[in-house]
Amino acid sequence: GQQLNQSPQSMFIQEGEDVSMNCTSSSIFNTWLWYKQEPGEGPVLLIALYKAGELTSNGRLTAQFGITRKDSFLNISASIPSDVGIYFCAGLNYGGSQGNLIFGKGTKLSVKP
Amino acid sequence: DAGVTQSPTHLIKTRGQQVTLRCSPISGHKSVSWYQQVLGQGPQFIFQYYEKEERGRGNFPDRFSARQFPNYSSELNVNALLLGDSALYLCASSPRLAGVTGELFFGEGSRLTVL
């Protein structure tokens, strides 16, 4: 089945540092999304990308939809303690009237004040 | 406004038992999806319902079933529980058919432990 390879698995950074994580797939996706999950919570949508090559920002977060449609990256600038959590990439598997998300295994981010 | 609500939040069952998990979507949302999240993994798609009809099914055995009610709430049922069914079960709603945009609003999940 389709799988997403997300890297790195975990990151330990100092407050104020920039963060970069990425996601690759052997299959093409028409939509890429990035979600964040904090302990005891469900995932929350951060950014959605709908077009190959698209670069989208949401505050300190920037994400890009790869030209090949097989990859995406997420950057976080000037990290702060509340950025702690697990970041998941997801590809939308859409056909006809049906669709579901394929999630990566996540990147766990820890921020040291 | 209330977000997606799920119940129960935690439950413990033994192998062979059956479990029913409940979900109320955000008001006005007609699509509900269920995902299973095993510890250390990303969520995995189980079912999607839209306007009370099943619109998608993931690679899960027939022990898993779901339905959506006229008020758009949903139930996930799992029969003959196995140890491997221990996971966080996430419900997500969206205003449109989730397959169109992928934009889902998740609840906090129901943590199922099978002993």
Side-chain angles (χ1 to χ4, degrees):
Chain A
Q2 292 171 303
Q3 289 188 337
L4 298 185
N5 298 307
Q6 198 170 342
S7 64
Q9 280 188 307
S10 61
M11 304 181 74
F12 297 84
I13 62 170
Q14 198 78 29
E15 182 178 0
E17 289 183 357
D18 296 343
V19 172
S20 184
M21 59 190 79
N22 67 72
C23 196
T24 60
S25 170
S26 57
S27 304
I28 289 173
F29 288 104
N30 290 319
T31 299
W32 282 90
L33 306 103
W34 287 89
Y35 283 82
K36 178 188 178 186
Q37 187 174 27
E38 298 183 22
E41 306 282 332
V44 174
L45 179 65
L46 299 173
I47 291 179
L49 302 155
Y50 299 107
K51 193 175 177 182
E54 179 182 356
L55 185 72
T56 298
S57 294
N58 178 8
R60 294 178 297 105
L61 277 59
T62 301
Q64 184 158 28
F65 189 150
I67 288 290
T68 64
R69 293 193 285 160
K70 292 184 177 181
D71 63 330
S72 177
F73 73 75
L74 175 71
N75 287 339
I76 305 173
S77 62
S79 59
I80 58 178
S82 63
D83 290 333
V84 166
I86 303 177
Y87 292 78
F88 291 100
C89 61
L92 177 61
N93 192 19
Y94 180 66
S97 63
Q98 299 185 11
N100 60 272
L101 295 182
I102 308 295
F103 282 86
K105 292 185 177 181
T107 293
K108 185 175 182 180
L109 179 63
S110 301
V111 180
K112 186 176 181 181
Chain B
D1 286 342
V4 176
T5 56
Q6 292 187 243
S7 64
T9 54
H10 295 81
L11 68 165
I12 299 173
K13 294 283 187 178
T14 57
R15 281 177 297 176
Q17 285 189 311
Q18 174 264 340
V19 68
T20 298
L21 308 177
R22 297 176 176 82
C23 172
S24 292
I26 292 172
S27 178
H29 286 195
K30 299 181 179 179
S31 177
V32 169
S33 301
W34 287 94
Y35 284 77
Q36 180 196 64
Q37 187 176 22
V38 173
L39 197 63
Q41 303 289 318
Q44 188 173 358
F45 174 68
I46 310 176
F47 285 110
Q48 182 185 154
Y49 279 78
Y50 181 74
E51 289 279 20
K52 302 177 286 295
E53 290 187 5
E54 182 182 304
R55 293 300 193 99
R57 173 185 285 253
N59 188 24
F60 280 81
D62 291 342
R63 299 184 295 108
F64 288 76
S65 63
R67 55 180 175 169
Q68 186 177 32
F69 298 98
N71 66 354
Y72 302 111
S73 67
S74 178
E75 285 183 353
L76 175 70
N77 295 287
V78 187
N79 295 322
L81 285 167
L82 304 174
L83 295 179
D85 294 332
S86 296
L88 181 68
Y89 288 85
L90 294 162
C91 175
S93 75
S94 61
R96 296 175 294 274
L97 189 61
V100 176
T101 66
E103 296 178 15
L104 300 177
F105 296 81
F106 284 90
E108 294 183 349
S110 293
R111 170 78 60 191
L112 171 65
T113 301
V114 182
L115 301 177

